[in-house]
Amino acid sequence: MNPEIKTTEYVAKLKDIKLSDSSRARIQHNLHEYAAFHSVREGETSRSIGVVPNGASLFSFKFASMPFVILLAVMIGGGTSLAAQGSMPGDFLYPVKIGFNENIREALAVSVDSEAKLQANLLEERLEEAQKLQAEGRLTTELSATMATNIAVQTMKANTAINLSSEPVQIETKAIIAMVQENFLALTNPETKLAAENATATDTTMTTSIATSKMSSDVATGLYDINVYQSDMTVRTEALVKVITQHQAEIDLDVKTDLMAKLDVATKLTLEASVQTEEDARSTLDKAALLTGEVESKLSTLGQVEIDPNTGIIIGIDFSIDPMIIDRGNGSGYGVPTDPQAAQ
Amino acid sequence: MHDTHEDVRVVRIGRFMNQNTQVTVFDEAFAQYGDAIFRFCIVKVSNVELAEDLTQEVFMRYWGYLKEDKEIQNPRALLYTIANNLAKDWYKKKKSDSLDDQIALGYDPVEKSAGPQLLAEQAEVIDALAQLEENDREIMVLRYVDGLDPKDIALILNESANVISVRINRATKRLQTILHI
């Protein structure tokens, strides 16, 4: 007999394989339960049901619970984060720089090595900020304490990242950490030294930042559960569609069309991810996150956005406030650091 | 002999369908394709229990996709694609104790889990297929067990129809070697 026919008939023996009655019934039952839980209510769209996690409220930095905000905010020139980039400790926008811009840079670090290098760089920046304050005579006791805490936190983040990286990178980054420690303590202000020595792990800022950094490094090492990622993206995209639709009369038509188009693609990508392998899904969701990030960035230049403190999702926008102008009380617009004493 | 011309209807769960209707559509999909997906999974993972779990997972993902109010042009292809991807993920996680390692160590995964569903004859076939590479295995099942057209297979595996035809030929020859035909 023709070997090929023999083969095909051989394999075709599997045709009769079926699920046993009991297995079929069991699976069907499970599927019904699943469908009931993830149901589509009549007249509504099938939105944000089921698996949105509740536990994300460790973070007091609202942006901190969006580790996947892969925004090129600074490059796009989004007003607030661009202004924040030059800010110093004590400035109004400094939390945006640390809590938001740097999270983005972390999210962009695609390998453990680049993550380690990034954290080391951020640590150096902390030192530079402290040195600058010192040089300008602005390093008050309070600021010293804050800086000490920031540096301690950043050192921890750097150490975490370093442990995962390759040896040459480890050597390089460990040297940077040592240099920063030394120089920071050497800052002649005795109060700085004192504050550095007293910075403890019970400081709430530190707890928050550690939680933030854990989430960031989870993202960096891909531990952010894929199903959570996917449902987060779904919720996030839908929230944006809702906000834009609600305020469409206030948005320029061209802008609105562009934003909705991006959200449309992001929605499609998020959906596609649900049927892909984990690896592919992750990169598809990253693409979707990039698009939603652009939309968020644009929105934040159009008006004052309202953000849900637990999830970091944009839930509203006030167009009457122009976010590009920040009233510093001295009428100078953004980018001008104020005297930290006066700001209190 | 090879081609089953199944009615591949476009499927849609509209948001204005009530829950009962939606579940009916879902049930139909399971009724129609459940066994085929199950077979596919068995061949991929050579384990009946695991194949059952995977089948369930495939349909759950399918439901997730359905409820987004999308029109699904080819539900069968989508189901196979999901199954394929889930199996891939499973393999990645299983790398440390791969099926090949297990077989090499004399552990017959099929034997362990062959329930009343699998006749000795079928278990033997699964065993033989398990000696093929993953890519070959899936092609054989799709072509000779489920009788899919090369062009449908191309859709599922995301390759061109030509590549698929070539792979079918090669896989068949490799199986012949294994079977000493």
Side-chain angles (χ1 to χ4, degrees), chain A residues 78 81 139 143 189 245 255-256 266 327:
Chain A
S81 71
L139 193 59
L143 273 180
N189 186 333
T245 313
V255 171
K256 177 191 156 237
D327 186 356

Side-chain angles (χ1 to χ4, degrees), chain A residues 313-333:
Chain A
I313 291 174
I314 293 183
I315 51 177
I317 182 166
D318 186 341
F319 287 95
S320 63
I321 303 173
D322 186 342
M324 301 292 279
I325 297 172
I326 295 151
D327 186 356
R328 293 192 166 272
N330 58 6
S332 62

Side-chain angles (χ1 to χ4, degrees), chain A residues 131-323:
Chain A
Q131 288 172 332
K132 205 167 161 205
L133 287 175
Q134 163 83 328
E136 291 170 19
R138 293 202 284 141
L139 193 59
T140 63
T141 317
E142 213 181 298
L143 273 180
S144 295
T146 313
M147 286 311 295
T149 309
N150 288 344
I151 286 194
V153 168
Q154 188 55 43
T155 308
M156 266 185 182
K157 281 166 109 166
N159 281 329
T160 312
I162 284 173
N163 288 336
L164 299 168
S165 65
S166 68
E167 208 179 303
V169 172
Q170 284 198 15
I171 296 170
E172 190 189 315
T173 45
K174 278 180 180 165
I176 294 178
I177 294 182
M179 181 272 291
V180 168
Q181 305 280 30
E182 210 182 289
N183 285 324
F184 184 66
L185 290 174
L187 282 176
T188 53
N189 186 333
E191 283 144 339
T192 313
K193 270 189 158 142
L194 200 61
E197 278 148 31
N198 288 333
T200 66
T202 58
D203 189 278
T204 45
T205 323
M206 183 180 283
T207 318
T208 310
S209 303
I210 291 174
T212 311
S213 72
K214 173 154 191 343
M215 192 104 157
S216 304
S217 67
D218 276 356
V219 171
T221 56
L223 292 176
Y224 190 33
D225 179 78
I226 189 69
N227 294 313
V228 172
Y229 190 3
Q230 207 236 345
S231 80
D232 280 355
M233 278 307 301
T234 311
V235 170
R236 189 175 156 204
T237 320
E238 285 160 11
L240 286 169
V241 169
K242 196 167 159 193
V243 166
I244 293 176
T245 313
Q246 277 172 356
H247 293 272
Q248 53 188 324
E250 299 163 87
I251 307 177
D252 183 54
L253 185 62
D254 289 335
V255 171
K256 177 191 156 237
T257 312
D258 179 55
L259 295 180
M260 290 302 273
K262 288 191 169 120
L263 289 176
D264 196 46
V265 176
T267 308
K268 287 198 167 75
L269 288 172
T270 306
L271 184 61
E272 279 313 307
S274 72
V275 302
Q276 294 175 333
T277 60
E278 190 172 318
E279 198 182 310
D280 289 345
R282 234 175 248 286
S283 65
T284 305
L285 288 172
D286 287 346
K287 287 187 192 133
L290 199 66
L291 288 167
T292 26
E294 284 175 20
V295 173
E296 282 159 349
S297 172
K298 183 66 185 169
L299 278 181
S300 68
T301 64
L302 296 174
Q304 175 74 42
V305 300
E306 185 194 330
I307 297 183
D308 181 320
N310 291 325
T311 57
I313 291 174
I314 293 183
I315 51 177
I317 182 166
D318 186 341
F319 287 95
S320 63
I321 303 173
D322 186 342

Side-chain angles (χ1 to χ4, degrees), chain A residues 7-8 10 14-15 17 19 23-24 26 28 30 32 38 46-47 271-272 274-275 278-279, chain B residues 15 19 27 35 39 52 56 61 63 65 67-68 70 85 89 92 118 124 144-145 175-176:
Chain A
T7 318
T8 60
Y10 182 77
L14 298 180
K15 266 192 201 197
I17 292 181
L19 285 163
S23 296
R24 179 170 270 273
R26 186 192 73 226
Q28 179 128 31
N30 292 340
H32 279 175
H38 294 85
S46 58
R47 302 310 192 192
L271 184 61
E272 279 313 307
S274 72
V275 302
E278 190 172 318
E279 198 182 310
Chain B
R15 71 180 81 149
Q19 176 77 350
D27 277 346
D35 288 329
R39 275 192 295 268
E52 285 181 2
Q56 185 172 290
R61 301 255 174 141
W63 169 257
Y65 202 85
K67 74 177 176 66
E68 292 300 324
K70 294 275 175 241
N85 287 336
D89 277 342
K92 277 216 176 113
L118 289 191
E124 189 200 313
Y144 296 125
V145 179
L175 185 58
Q176 285 163 11

